[in-house]
Amino acid sequence: MTKGLLHHVEIYVSDLKKSTDFWGWFLGELGYSAFQKWDGGQSWKLEDTYIVFVQTEERFLDIPYHRCRVGLNHLAFHVDSRQHVDEMTKTLNNKGINILYKDKHPARGEDYYALYFEDPDRIKVELVAP
């Protein structure tokens, strides 16, 4: 049954090349496959859900994204293990990707182990392990 599950998420980005380089390897790590590609965008799919990245028109680039404004704050993804979170942390560090809240990394709770980082447009991304 798919009722209530997300069908897709579409995100406009400032630099499609940078975003698809970032999201392509990251989503691949989570099991997504390339799905659609056209001059102004690209998507990746996992089962019945896909994520789309579209190049923002130049006339709209003067207002940069900020996750604390009205709109999307972050995307959070499940992973299978705390080890996967730790491996992704190393990979992100090696790629020079900004890890957020380093003083509290990894975020921990009784049933929570998470990593927070930013994509090229500074959209916060979260990985959550049980």
Side-chain angles (χ1 to χ4, degrees):
M1 178 173 186
T2 58
K3 182 179 179 181
L5 296 178
L6 283 176
H7 183 270
H8 71 276
V9 174
E10 185 169 317
I11 301 171
Y12 277 65
V13 297
S14 65
D15 184 323
L16 185 61
K17 170 86 170 93
K18 282 184 185 176
S19 291
T20 56
D21 287 349
F22 172 85
W23 285 99
W25 75 263
F26 173 71
L27 291 171
E29 288 286 325
L30 299 180
Y32 284 75
S33 298
F35 179 48
Q36 302 161 315
K37 186 175 183 175
W38 63 101
D39 285 343
Q42 188 165 346
S43 66
W44 284 265
K45 187 172 185 176
L46 179 63
E47 296 181 10
D48 293 327
T49 302
Y50 62 99
I51 301 175
V52 184
F53 300 92
V54 178
Q55 176 63 54
T56 299
E57 292 179 33
E58 191 169 326
R59 64 187 171 129
F60 296 119
L61 288 174
D62 60 333
I63 303 171
Y65 168 82
H66 195 287
R67 66 179 164 268
C68 292
R69 291 186 184 138
V70 173
L72 178 73
N73 177 269
H74 69 280
L75 295 172
F77 297 88
H78 289 282
V79 292
D80 291 332
S81 68
R82 292 176 179 209
Q83 179 183 349
H84 194 184
V85 168
D86 295 339
E87 290 168 0
M88 288 299 289
T89 300
K90 288 177 188 172
T91 301
L92 292 165
N93 275 320
N94 290 339
K95 289 180 170 285
I97 294 169
N98 187 35
I99 298 201
L100 300 169
Y101 322 121
K102 288 184 181 182
D103 59 327
K104 299 176 185 175
H105 173 75
R108 297 173 190 233
E110 262 183 57
D111 59 350
Y112 196 77
Y113 191 87
L115 161 66
Y116 304 94
F117 53 98
E118 292 179 322
D119 89 334
D121 283 311
R122 300 196 62 217
I123 294 173
K124 182 166 66 171
V125 184
E126 179 179 357
L127 286 181
V128 184

